[in-house]
Amino acid sequence: MDIIQAIILGIVQGLTEFLPVSSSAHLVFVTDILGLPQNVAFDTILHLGTLVAVVGYFRKDVLKIITSFINSIIDVFHGKFKEGLQEEPFKKLSWLLIIGTIPAGLAGILLQKQFESLFNSLFYVGIFLLITGFLLWGAERVKTGHKNEQDMTLKNALVIGIFQAIAIAPGISRSGATISAGLFSGLNRELAARFSFLLSIPAILGAAVVQVKDINGIDVNAAVLIAGFLASMIFGYLAIKLLLKIIKERTLMIFAYYCWIVGIVTIILAYVM
């Protein structure tokens, strides 16, 4: 792998990790087009780039969530836990994110091999891309919700978390699934996107931790790794900014159409190849 190829993969990872079009499917496509073997260690570096991007973009929220979580633990010993959740939005948000993270964590542990086997099938990738398109289509047709952080319930967080767990399958967009689930749950559009991005932090971190053992055996030079990391980080940051603007001012249907087109092409290729 050379620097140009690393940058291309980094751009693809950065954009598709947060835009609702499935990063796993696109990495499979682009890797094949470039004639490169699957490299789990390099994929881990790219994921770390997107992790830095989302933490950097939401750095103020992340800091507040961490401090609020610590304070809510302290509230337990003072007998003010429930009151704290009601009075401080970030205390509640911290626990909602924990609840939302559990389904994907369990799915990753219990069903990892089953999900990994799907990466070898273009047909299933195509089917899952079509499903992502229908999720986005359905989300745009529900009545606009008005729930804010204080209105969110544990059930809402759990439902969004279950959709994130399903998105482990290649072709199901994590951001597309979780944003759709948020809109289905009655969240306002901005919160649905924001909660999705914040929920991605433990998900990406968890995936990186699982794969970090493969970094020791990486056979790519440092310049290539840095190029891929920076491209993933920069374009991940831009993708977050772009999607937040789109979900506030426009519709997600452009991504639904994209997923349907790419999904159909992928299914056709699965039969031709």
Side-chain angles (χ1 to χ4, degrees):
M1 182 186 302
D2 58 34
I3 290 179
I4 299 300
Q5 291 172 326
I7 291 174
I8 291 172
L9 289 174
I11 292 172
V12 170
Q13 170 64 27
L15 292 177
T16 59
E17 178 67 44
F18 300 115
L19 297 181
V21 294
S22 178
S23 62
S24 56
H26 282 76
L27 279 179
V28 170
F29 297 153
V30 177
T31 299
D32 286 344
I33 291 172
L34 294 176
L36 298 171
Q38 293 294 325
N39 191 322
V40 176
F42 184 71
D43 289 349
T44 303
I45 297 297
L46 297 184
H47 277 89
L48 290 175
T50 54
L51 177 63
V52 172
V54 68
V55 171
Y57 194 95
F58 292 100
R59 57 192 178 280
K60 292 181 180 179
D61 283 350
V62 170
L63 182 59
K64 287 181 180 178
I65 288 168
I66 293 172
T67 55
S68 295
F69 174 73
I70 294 172
N71 289 334
S72 72
I73 296 297
I74 296 173
D75 287 344
V76 173
F77 298 100
H78 293 163
K80 298 180 179 179
F81 181 71
K82 290 184 178 179
E83 292 86 342
L85 296 183
Q86 294 171 351
E87 295 171 1
E88 175 54 55
F90 277 93
K91 287 182 180 179
K92 183 177 182 180
L93 182 59
S94 68
W95 286 98
L96 291 174
L97 288 169
I98 291 172
I99 296 298
T101 298
I102 292 173
L106 291 176
I109 294 171
L110 301 176
L111 302 173
Q112 182 181 2
K113 291 183 179 180
Q114 288 83 347
F115 280 117
E116 286 180 350
S117 66
L118 297 174
F119 280 81
N120 298 319
S121 172
L122 277 180
F123 175 77
Y124 284 117
V125 171
I127 292 296
F128 290 139
L129 279 168
L130 294 182
I131 292 173
T132 294
F134 280 110
L135 284 174
L136 296 170
W137 173 82
E140 285 294 351
R141 273 151 182 75
V142 299
K143 185 178 179 180
T144 302
H146 300 285
K147 287 184 178 180
N148 56 29
E149 289 91 337
Q150 287 294 69
D151 299 323
M152 276 190 73
T153 64
L154 292 179
K155 181 181 178 181
N156 296 151
L158 187 59
V159 168
I160 296 171
I162 291 172
F163 272 69
Q164 177 167 262
I166 296 171
I168 297 176
I172 300 289
S173 165
R174 194 210 61 80
S175 63
T178 51
I179 290 174
S180 296
L183 295 176
F184 292 146
S185 299
L187 274 59
N188 66 59
R189 293 175 70 84
E190 185 176 359
L191 177 58
R194 181 164 158 260
F195 190 81
S196 169
F197 288 133
L198 291 172
L199 196 62
S200 74
I201 294 174
I204 298 173
L205 181 60
V209 169
V210 170
Q211 297 173 338
V212 73
K213 63 182 184 300
D214 297 304
I215 293 180
N216 293 329
I218 196 167
D219 57 354
V220 180
N221 68 53
V224 170
L225 291 179
I226 293 171
F229 175 85
L230 290 177
S232 177
M233 179 184 69
I234 293 169
F235 281 86
Y237 189 95
L238 294 175
I240 294 170
K241 188 173 183 178
L242 174 62
L243 187 57
L244 285 172
K245 183 177 178 62
I246 289 175
I247 200 167
K248 286 181 187 178
E249 302 175 1
R250 300 183 182 278
T251 172
L252 296 172
M253 282 306 299
I254 185 173
F255 299 111
Y257 294 136
Y258 177 85
C259 288
W260 285 335
I261 293 170
V262 177
I264 291 171
V265 171
T266 302
I267 292 171
I268 293 173
L269 290 175
Y271 280 103
V272 172
M273 295 175 66

